[in-house]
């Protein structure tokens, strides 16, 4: 078995670490970045004084957190029209081609549909992370700031948010780790990520276990390194105070 | 209130009421503070002292009653509360210094953001203030490295940087280790001797007696008794005042 793992590795490492890893990582990074942006907006909406705005955010978060991710992937994959993706994000594809990428338009659209689904999913979870991070900042901080005559907005951006970020960033890092694993679900639609590469290699070699162990090892290294980086970073943030 | 002579009083409250849920904390508090006056508020916990103080700069919004600052009713809709808060410095029991900013930034933030002074002016003022309270060498430290007493001194000069007309102290020494109470009281004492109008909620009876022009005894949501320190501490008329003082002055 060990021998066959070595054979799989030496024969296919380029596929695993080349396209497979690249797509897994780019999909995860895209999801984390845009998930955080939309998640922030949702968190603000949920703390908004206007009731209907709060309802909309709450409903969104409940629906997304209350349904399976695989279901959401199916839903958005089949629901988002190609033309929609191309009108909105066609320029990204053109830019990629310009920089020497050989991604076909069809693969690009597939990637984007999956990315949108993952972003929508992640934003719901991230919004709760952000909201609790903001609400964890001591009320006395707001009171002190307001008592100095600063406005609500100044207080939020200069006093509350910088402190909330310290609660939020490590949690966002962990969300990144979660998403890396979650992107494997996207291989259902064969978008070329690590798990998709596994399916290819399995088909070619008729081996089930060995390539799976190789892929597992890559995921493990990825998440292990990332978790440790986040932990180190978290310690540094804490030391700042 | 018939005789409203705005200039004479820096703060005037009329029949303030405040509840938290079913708890009626302030039951009609009317009080006036003249410029330069030092008013101490004493009384048992839950008597409404802190709530009254926090109403003065609208950290708590009273349900009923009026608060006049220089004759302007700040409980009226459309009044720019931020402008009035800038004239009133507040010091909290738990310091509430900003942990993500350096000691200097803690002080310069508000004057710069409110465009009261330029960055340069604010820095100079901050340094002068910090020397005054013996924290100049902590300029670039984060508050996390300061002791409780140092944090509270920082909180006081942070408020002073806005050059307020009134200082409100909400139990400024209650969260301090005993050996640090003195250094904070020294700063407040110096301020008071400099003529700052001051309202202070405190459990430091000796200090209240020493610095105040007037002492208010608050109990059960009302000012149960008020008078000069001598009257309150040596000849309390209200039995509740007597009871309270006999408990705390053992």
């Amino acid at each position: 078995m060990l021998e066959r793992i070595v054979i799989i590795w030496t024969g296919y490492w380029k596929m695993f670490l080349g396209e497979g890893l690249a797509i897994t990582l780019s999909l995860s990074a895209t999801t984390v970045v845009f998930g955080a942006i939309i998640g922030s907006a949702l968190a603000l909406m949920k703390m908004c004084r206007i009731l209907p705005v709060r309802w909309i955010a709450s409903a969104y978060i409940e629906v997304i957190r209350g349904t399976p991710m695989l279901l959401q992937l199916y839903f958005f994959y089949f629901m988002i029209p190609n033309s929609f993706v191309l009108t909105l994000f066609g320029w990204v594809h053109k830019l990629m081609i310009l920089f020497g990428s050989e991604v076909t338009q069809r693969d690009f659209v597939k990637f984007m549909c999956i990315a949108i689904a993952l972003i929508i999913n992640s934003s719901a979870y991230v919004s709760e992370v952000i909201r609790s991070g903001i609400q964890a900042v001591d009320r006395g901080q707001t009171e002190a700031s307001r008592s100095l005559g600063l406005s609500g907005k100044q207080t939020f951006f200069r006093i509350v948010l910088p402190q909330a970020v310290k609660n939020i960033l490590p949690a966002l890092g962990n969300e990144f780790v979660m998403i890396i694993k979650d992107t494997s679900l996207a291989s259902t639609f064969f978008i070329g990520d690590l798990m998709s590469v596994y399916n290819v290699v399995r088909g070619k070699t008729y081996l089930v276990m060995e390539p799976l162990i190789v892929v597992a090892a890559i995921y493990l290294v990825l998440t292990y390194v990332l978790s440790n980086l986040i932990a180190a970073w978290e310690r540094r943030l804490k030391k700042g105070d | 209130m018939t005789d409203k002579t705005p200039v004479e009083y820096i703060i005037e409250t009329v029949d303030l009421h405040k509840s938290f849920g079913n708890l009626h904390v302030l039951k009609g508090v009317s009080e006036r503070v003249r410029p330069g006056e030092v008013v101490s508020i004493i009384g048992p916990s839950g008597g409404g002292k802190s709530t009254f103080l926090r109403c003065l700069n609208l950290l708590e919004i009273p349900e009923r009653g009026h608060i006049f600052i220089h004759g302007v009713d700040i409980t009226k809709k459309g009044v720019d509360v931020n402008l009035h808060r800038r004239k009133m410095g507040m010091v909290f029991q738990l310091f509430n210094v900003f942990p993500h900013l350096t000691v200097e930034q803690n002080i310069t933030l508000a004057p710069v953001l409110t465009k009261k002074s330029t960055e340069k002016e604010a820095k100079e003022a901050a340094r002068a203030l910090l020397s005054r309270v013996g924290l100049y060498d902590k300029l670039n430290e984060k508050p996390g490295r300061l002791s409780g007493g140092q944090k509270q001194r920082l909180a006081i000069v942070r408020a002073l940087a806005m050059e307020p007309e009134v200082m409100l102290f909400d139990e400024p020494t209650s969260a301090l280790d005993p050996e640090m109470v003195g250094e904070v009281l020294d700063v407040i004492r110096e301020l008071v001797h400099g003529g700052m109008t001051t309202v202070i909620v405190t459990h430091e009876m000796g200090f209240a007696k020493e610095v105040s022009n007037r002492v208010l005894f608050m109990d059960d949501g009302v000012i149960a008794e008020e008078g000069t320190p001598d009257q309150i501490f040596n000849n309390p008329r209200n039995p509740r005042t007597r009871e309270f003082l006999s408990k705390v002055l053992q």
Side-chain angles (χ1 to χ4, degrees):
Chain A
M1 170 121 148
L2 192 66
E3 199 183 330
R4 276 181 301 194
I5 291 176
V6 173
I7 292 169
I8 293 283
W9 176 253
T10 46
Y12 296 100
W13 68 271
K14 270 186 186 160
M15 271 177 84
F16 286 122
L17 295 190
E19 200 198 12
L21 188 63
I23 289 186
T24 289
L25 281 181
S26 56
L27 193 58
S28 312
T30 311
T31 304
V32 159
V33 171
F34 291 97
I37 293 170
I38 297 172
S40 307
L42 278 173
L44 291 183
M45 283 170 73
K46 227 187 148 174
M47 292 185 290
C48 182
R49 249 175 278 163
I50 305 158
L51 214 54
V53 174
R54 232 157 53 205
W55 286 337
I56 292 169
S58 297
Y60 177 102
I61 292 165
E62 287 305 319
V63 170
I64 296 300
R65 297 211 305 178
T67 54
M69 181 170 213
L70 191 56
L71 184 149
Q72 291 163 19
L73 282 172
Y74 270 89
F75 183 81
F76 290 108
Y77 187 79
F78 292 122
M79 195 202 72
I80 302 173
N82 289 4
S83 55
F84 173 83
V85 174
L86 286 173
T87 337
L88 272 182
F89 304 107
W91 61 276
V92 180
H93 184 236
K94 286 195 186 108
L95 215 64
M96 285 166 72
I97 299 287
L98 207 67
F99 280 94
S101 164
E102 287 165 6
V103 176
T104 64
Q105 200 175 63
R106 193 168 168 274
D107 284 345
F108 176 76
V109 170
K110 262 169 90 173
F111 179 92
M112 285 311 293
C113 288
I114 296 297
I116 290 169
L118 287 171
I119 288 166
I120 287 173
N121 180 277
S122 171
S123 65
Y125 287 92
V126 167
S127 76
E128 292 295 278
V129 166
I130 292 175
R131 193 172 60 95
S132 60
I134 289 171
Q135 285 173 346
V137 176
D138 183 20
R139 237 174 67 100
Q141 292 289 312
T142 304
E143 290 180 352
S145 175
R146 295 309 301 269
S147 78
L148 288 165
L150 300 186
S151 67
K153 211 164 140 193
Q154 285 169 329
T155 300
F156 181 75
F157 285 106
R158 305 303 289 258
I159 303 299
V160 177
L161 198 58
Q163 295 184 59
V165 163
K166 287 193 180 177
N167 307 331
I168 293 167
L169 281 182
L172 268 189
N174 294 328
E175 175 73 9
F176 191 23
V177 173
M178 292 298 294
I179 287 169
I180 285 179
K181 292 180 289 175
D182 286 347
T183 53
S184 62
L185 286 174
S187 66
T188 315
F189 304 97
F190 205 77
I191 59 153
D193 68 316
L194 269 175
M195 208 59 198
S196 308
V197 173
Y198 160 74
N199 283 319
V200 173
V201 173
R202 192 188 55 189
K204 280 190 176 171
T205 59
Y206 301 104
L207 290 172
V208 176
M209 271 314 277
E210 291 79 358
L212 201 55
I213 288 169
V214 170
V215 173
I218 298 174
Y219 274 117
L220 201 59
V221 168
L222 216 57
T223 53
Y224 181 79
V225 169
L226 211 63
S227 305
N228 278 285
L229 281 177
I230 293 160
W233 186 35
E234 200 170 352
R235 278 195 295 276
R236 249 194 62 191
L237 279 180
K238 282 225 175 89
K239 238 172 66 183
D241 284 348
Chain B
M1 290 297 110
T2 45
D3 57 334
K4 210 161 35 185
T5 43
V7 268
E8 201 183 337
Y9 300 107
I10 198 160
I11 301 171
E12 179 175 358
T13 70
V14 179
D15 195 32
L16 283 190
H17 285 261
K18 174 74 187 174
S19 308
F20 297 106
N22 289 328
L23 202 66
H24 201 169
V25 183
L26 294 184
K27 301 174 180 170
V29 180
S30 300
E31 187 48 50
R32 297 157 168 188
V33 179
R34 284 193 172 81
E37 221 181 359
V38 179
V39 178
S40 292
I41 308 176
I42 61 169
S45 327
K49 311 183 294 291
S50 288
T51 306
F52 173 62
L53 194 75
R54 290 160 58 83
C55 276
L56 295 182
N57 64 359
L58 293 189
L59 284 183
E60 305 292 353
I61 315 274
E63 278 113 40
R64 199 138 65 78
H66 301 275
I67 302 162
F68 298 93
I69 304 295
H70 281 307
V72 179
D73 188 350
I74 60 169
T75 55
K76 270 220 184 92
K77 276 216 158 140
V79 174
D80 188 350
V81 182
N82 293 333
L83 283 181
H84 289 280
R85 281 179 175 149
R86 283 169 206 170
K87 294 184 218 152
M88 293 193 271
M90 177 127 188
V91 174
F92 300 85
Q93 182 177 359
L94 296 173
F95 330 129
N96 297 345
V97 290
F98 304 134
H100 61 300
L101 301 176
T102 65
V103 166
E104 187 181 38
Q105 289 165 341
N106 259 277
I107 301 173
T108 57
L109 181 83
V112 173
L113 277 186
T114 57
K115 303 207 168 68
K116 190 182 118 12
S117 23
T118 65
E119 184 105 31
K120 193 163 161 279
E121 289 165 357
K123 274 189 176 175
E124 275 166 24
R127 281 159 200 230
L129 284 166
L130 284 172
S131 324
R132 216 169 107 189
V133 296
L135 289 175
Y136 187 81
D137 55 323
K138 307 286 183 197
L139 206 64
N140 295 314
E141 301 266 18
K142 292 274 179 76
R145 299 182 154 242
L146 303 182
S147 71
Q150 290 171 327
K151 279 183 193 162
Q152 195 60 302
R153 281 184 277 156
L154 169 60
I156 294 171
V157 288
R158 177 180 67 181
L160 289 179
M162 289 301 287
E163 297 178 337
E165 295 168 24
V166 189
M167 282 292 283
L168 309 174
F169 291 91
D170 188 4
E171 302 194 25
T173 57
S174 298
L176 292 173
D177 290 336
E179 75 268 24
M180 290 170 183
V181 171
E183 64 192 62
V184 170
L185 291 183
D186 284 343
V187 174
I188 302 174
R189 187 179 289 118
E190 195 201 307
L191 206 60
V192 163
H193 290 159
M196 175 68 76
T197 311
T198 303
V199 181
I200 177 167
V201 171
T202 187
H203 290 295
E204 296 287 332
M205 295 304 149
F207 186 71
K209 198 170 172 177
E210 174 200 332
V211 300
S212 318
N213 306 115
R214 213 143 52 82
V215 178
L216 314 181
F217 173 71
M218 275 191 81
D219 185 30
D220 197 25
V222 294
I223 296 175
E225 183 167 1
E226 72 167 296
T228 63
D230 184 52
Q231 282 167 356
I232 297 288
F233 288 106
N234 300 332
N235 292 303
R237 279 162 301 167
N238 191 316
R240 282 186 298 177
T241 316
R242 279 201 288 271
E243 190 195 333
F244 172 75
L245 287 175
S246 73
K247 271 186 202 152
V248 294
L249 291 180
Q250 281 168 11

